[in-house]
């Protein structure tokens, strides 16, 4: 349990940092790309207003100081741009390529014709692995098209993004490494509290068994002297109930420690049949119907003792809460893909339509609050919690479902790499 908690602590902490890094890097990248595109649009606007020429004087308005990047005549010289002016009367085109070297005048004319066919005032065009932003301005008898190589601005934005991603990955790796190294120290109080709780349960269980043994012995002596009475019978029932409850507590504490559980390849079919035979008479004596369907030769990796205990818990729970004269069905079979073994225990439960079945696995949870502790078939609310812990230790899953007045507990455990002895099913009633 502590190991699982530590892993969850590391995973959630790392995911939280990852979310923060993604948010920060994403925000910086978005702002950087936004400013880059804003810079491209501003330069195109300046060049378009001056028919593709650098203005002789830069005098931004007060509003532009806050809304747009600021440029000077010197700063504009760093950009690569060109323009073309088409005379509408004689269809002659004048090209300005003073600030570009990689595009010839003939290519500029082709790009201009290509842009004019789009009938758009602005946009982007891809040419020779370079993206050029353009802006079209209609003058009385002329059409001016200005092109700007935006790779310089966008490359800066990409560098910021790559640098942010790199720093984020390095920070995440360093954080995770430190977290793994010091996580045990961080959760040490929880480890100590968990250890004290287990020790308390175990020690208290042993201490409580002594007075219960004395009470049981005194009750038996009283029965020998005065005969059995309702008082002595009730006392023995409560002593038996407390003894069983203490054993549950001790078993649960030991189960969480996991030192005595030895996982090995076991014959799940054989153990299931053994448990079924032990419970069959008990269920029938209670006036209920019992059926089983067990595929022979199914092998799983589990602890034999705890697997026996798992099936016993499920059958005991089904017998307790099955409707009078209802049906209990035990099934062990292969999954659809033949990689897993499915164990299911189903019982009639007409009153279970509106019940939250996931809470069944909570310790001490009982749906019917009106039941008294003197009721013969009452439980402790611990068995299914133990079943869930056992299944987790086996590396499997347990879930519950309700359909047609019947509740089912379905366990999925990975099948061991063993050949089946037979593919037939055995059914008994």
């Amino acid at each position: 349990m502590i190991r699982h908690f530590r892993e969850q602590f590391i995973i959630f902490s790392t995911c939280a940092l990852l979310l923060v890094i993604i948010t920060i890097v994403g925000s910086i990248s978005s702002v950087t790309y936004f400013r880059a595109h804003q810079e491209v649009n501003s330069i195109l606007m300046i060049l378009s207003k001056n028919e593709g020429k650098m203005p002789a004087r830069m005098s931004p308005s007060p509003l532009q100081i806050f809304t747009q990047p600021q440029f000077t005549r010197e700063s504009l010289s760093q950009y690569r741009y060109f323009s073309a002016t088409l005379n509408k009367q004689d269809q002659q085109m004048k090209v300005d390529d003073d600030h570009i070297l990689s595009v010839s005048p003939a290519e500029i004319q082709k790009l201009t014709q290509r842009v004019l066919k789009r009938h758009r005032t602005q946009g982007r065009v891809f040419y020779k692995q370079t993206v050029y932003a353009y802006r079209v301005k209609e003058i009385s008898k002329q059409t001016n098209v200005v092109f700007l190589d935006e790779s310089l601005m966008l490359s800066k934005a990409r560098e910021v993004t790559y640098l942010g991603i790199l720093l984020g990955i390095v920070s995440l790796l360093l954080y995770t490494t430190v977290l793994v190294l010091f996580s045990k120290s961080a959760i040490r109080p929880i480890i100590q509290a968990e250890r004290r709780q287990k020790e308390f349960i175990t020690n208290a269980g042993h201490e409580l068994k002594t007075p219960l043994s004395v009470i049981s012995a005194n009750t038996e002596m009283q029965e020998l002297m005065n005969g059995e009475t309702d008082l002595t019978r009730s006392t023995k029932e409560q002593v038996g109930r407390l003894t069983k409850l203490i054993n549950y507590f001790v078993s649960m504490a030991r189960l969480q420690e996991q030192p005595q559980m030895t996982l090995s390849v076991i014959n799940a079919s054989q153990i299931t049949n053994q448990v079924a035979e032990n419970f069959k008479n008990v269920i029938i004596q209670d006036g209920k119907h019992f059926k089983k369907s067990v595929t022979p030769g199914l092998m799983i990796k589990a602890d034999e003792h705890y697997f026996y205990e798992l099936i016993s818990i499920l059958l005991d729970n089904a017998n307790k809460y099955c409707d009078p004269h209802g049906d209990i069905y035990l099934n062990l079979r292969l999954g659809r893909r033949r990689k897993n073994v499915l164990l299911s225990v189903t019982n009639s439960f007409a009153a279970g339509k509106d019940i939250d079945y996931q809470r069944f696995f909570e310790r001490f949870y009982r749906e019917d609050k009106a039941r008294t502790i003197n009721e013969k078939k009452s439980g402790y609310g611990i068995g299914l919690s133990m079943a869930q812990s056992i299944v987790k230790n086996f590396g499997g899953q347990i879930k519950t479902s309700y359909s047609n007045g019947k509740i089912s507990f379905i366990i999925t455990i990975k099948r061991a790499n063993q050949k089946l002895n037979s593919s037939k099913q055995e059914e008994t009633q």
Side-chain angles (χ1 to χ4, degrees):
M1 182 177 178
I2 295 299
R3 180 181 178 182
H4 176 73
F5 178 78
R6 183 184 178 189
E7 291 175 353
Q8 292 296 320
F9 174 72
I10 295 174
I11 291 173
F12 285 128
S13 300
T14 304
C15 290
L17 179 62
L18 178 61
L19 181 61
V20 172
I21 292 176
I22 291 176
T23 302
I24 294 176
V25 174
S27 300
I28 294 176
S29 299
S30 300
V31 172
T32 304
Y33 273 98
F34 173 77
R35 293 293 296 175
H37 289 299
Q38 191 180 42
E39 181 179 356
V40 171
N41 293 332
S42 299
I43 297 171
L44 281 175
M45 186 179 297
I46 294 173
L47 294 174
S48 182
K49 286 182 178 180
N50 294 274
E51 300 181 4
K53 302 289 184 180
M54 278 193 297
R57 181 179 299 176
M58 300 295 296
S59 55
S61 64
L63 291 177
Q64 291 178 335
I65 295 177
F66 300 99
T67 60
Q68 296 180 358
Q70 301 303 308
F71 305 101
T72 63
R73 185 177 176 83
E74 293 296 331
S75 65
L76 286 174
S77 61
Q78 66 178 314
Y79 302 105
R80 294 185 297 170
Y81 59 90
F82 55 91
S83 63
T85 303
L86 178 65
N87 193 314
K88 295 181 180 180
Q89 293 181 348
D90 54 11
Q91 296 297 315
Q92 294 293 322
M93 187 177 295
K94 181 180 178 183
V95 174
D96 182 0
D97 61 345
D98 294 339
H99 297 85
I100 193 73
L101 296 176
S102 58
V103 185
S104 65
E107 293 172 333
I108 293 176
Q109 292 183 2
K110 293 180 180 179
L111 281 176
T112 304
Q113 294 293 341
R114 180 177 164 186
V115 166
L116 292 176
K117 290 180 180 180
R118 296 183 177 182
H119 302 289
R120 297 179 183 176
T121 58
Q122 60 183 10
R124 285 171 176 77
V125 61
F126 185 77
Y127 182 74
K128 287 186 176 181
Q129 299 181 348
T130 304
V131 178
Y132 294 96
Y134 67 86
R135 192 179 186 93
V136 180
K137 182 180 180 181
E138 297 286 346
I139 311 175
S140 58
K141 298 180 179 180
Q142 295 178 343
T143 301
N144 180 254
V145 183
V146 179
F147 295 87
L148 174 66
D149 182 0
E150 62 179 26
S151 59
L152 178 63
M153 289 74 77
L154 295 182
S155 64
K156 295 178 181 178
R158 282 193 293 270
E159 288 177 2
V160 172
T161 301
Y162 294 153
L163 181 61
I165 294 174
L166 178 61
L167 292 177
I169 293 175
V170 173
S171 301
L172 187 64
L173 292 176
L174 289 176
Y175 176 81
T176 304
T177 303
V178 173
L179 193 62
V180 170
L181 294 176
F182 295 97
S183 59
K184 193 171 183 179
S185 299
I187 64 174
R188 182 171 294 149
I190 299 176
I191 297 175
Q192 293 175 350
E194 180 73 14
R195 185 181 296 113
R196 292 193 188 101
Q197 180 185 14
K198 294 175 182 177
E199 291 176 353
F200 172 78
I201 293 175
T202 303
N203 295 334
H206 289 296
E207 292 296 329
L208 288 173
K209 284 183 178 181
T210 301
L212 287 175
S213 299
V214 175
I215 294 173
S216 179
N218 291 340
T219 303
E220 291 178 359
M221 182 62 67
Q222 186 177 359
E223 287 182 342
L224 291 175
M225 295 174 60
N226 302 323
E228 186 180 28
T229 63
D230 292 340
L231 181 61
T232 58
R233 190 182 303 108
S234 176
T235 301
K236 288 193 298 183
E237 289 178 357
Q238 296 307 317
V239 169
R241 180 180 177 85
L242 283 174
T243 302
K244 190 174 182 180
L245 182 59
I246 291 170
N247 291 333
Y248 266 133
F249 284 145
V250 175
S251 297
M252 182 65 84
R254 291 176 178 174
L255 183 62
Q256 292 178 352
E257 294 174 2
Q258 304 178 22
Q260 298 178 354
M261 184 173 291
T262 304
L263 300 182
S264 60
V265 178
I266 63 174
N267 192 325
S269 302
Q270 182 180 355
I271 298 175
T272 303
N273 282 322
Q274 291 176 359
V275 182
E277 289 300 321
N278 293 335
F279 271 88
K280 179 179 178 180
N281 293 330
V282 177
I283 295 173
I284 293 176
Q285 287 177 2
D286 287 341
K288 297 155 189 173
H289 306 284
F290 179 64
K291 293 182 180 180
K292 70 168 182 175
S293 176
V294 179
T295 301
L298 294 182
M299 313 298 288
I300 62 173
K301 190 174 183 180
D303 183 280
E304 184 174 349
H305 169 74
Y306 280 106
F307 186 70
Y308 190 101
E309 183 71 17
L310 172 64
I311 304 174
S312 300
I313 291 173
L314 294 177
L315 287 177
D316 181 63
N317 181 80
N319 187 37
K320 285 179 180 177
Y321 300 110
C322 181
D323 295 333
H325 308 292
D327 299 320
I328 298 176
Y329 185 63
L330 173 65
N331 180 270
L332 184 73
R333 60 183 176 84
L334 280 175
R336 292 182 178 178
R337 298 183 179 179
R338 306 181 69 84
K339 294 182 179 180
N340 299 319
V341 174
L342 301 182
L343 171 67
S344 64
V345 177
T346 305
N347 64 273
S348 304
F349 193 45
K353 184 177 181 180
D354 300 322
I355 293 178
D356 184 5
Y357 302 107
Q358 298 305 318
R359 297 197 63 190
F360 280 10
F361 300 106
E362 297 179 8
R363 297 181 191 177
F364 303 106
Y365 174 78
R366 296 180 64 205
E367 181 63 28
D368 189 355
K369 304 298 183 181
R371 292 176 183 161
T372 65
I373 61 173
N374 291 323
E375 187 178 348
K376 187 176 180 180
K377 294 298 183 182
S378 63
Y380 309 101
I382 302 177
L384 291 179
S385 178
M386 289 184 61
Q388 186 182 49
S389 298
I390 293 173
V391 173
K392 286 184 178 180
N393 290 329
F394 291 168
Q397 295 180 342
I398 182 171
K399 64 180 182 179
T400 180
S401 64
Y402 183 82
S403 177
N404 298 324
K406 295 182 179 180
I407 183 172
S408 299
F409 291 91
I410 305 168
I411 296 172
T412 304
I413 302 177
K414 190 174 182 181
R415 182 188 181 192
N417 295 326
Q418 296 285 336
K419 294 183 179 180
L420 291 175
N421 297 329
S422 175
S423 60
K424 298 181 179 180
Q425 290 187 339
E426 297 178 350
E427 294 191 3
T428 61
Q429 181 173 355

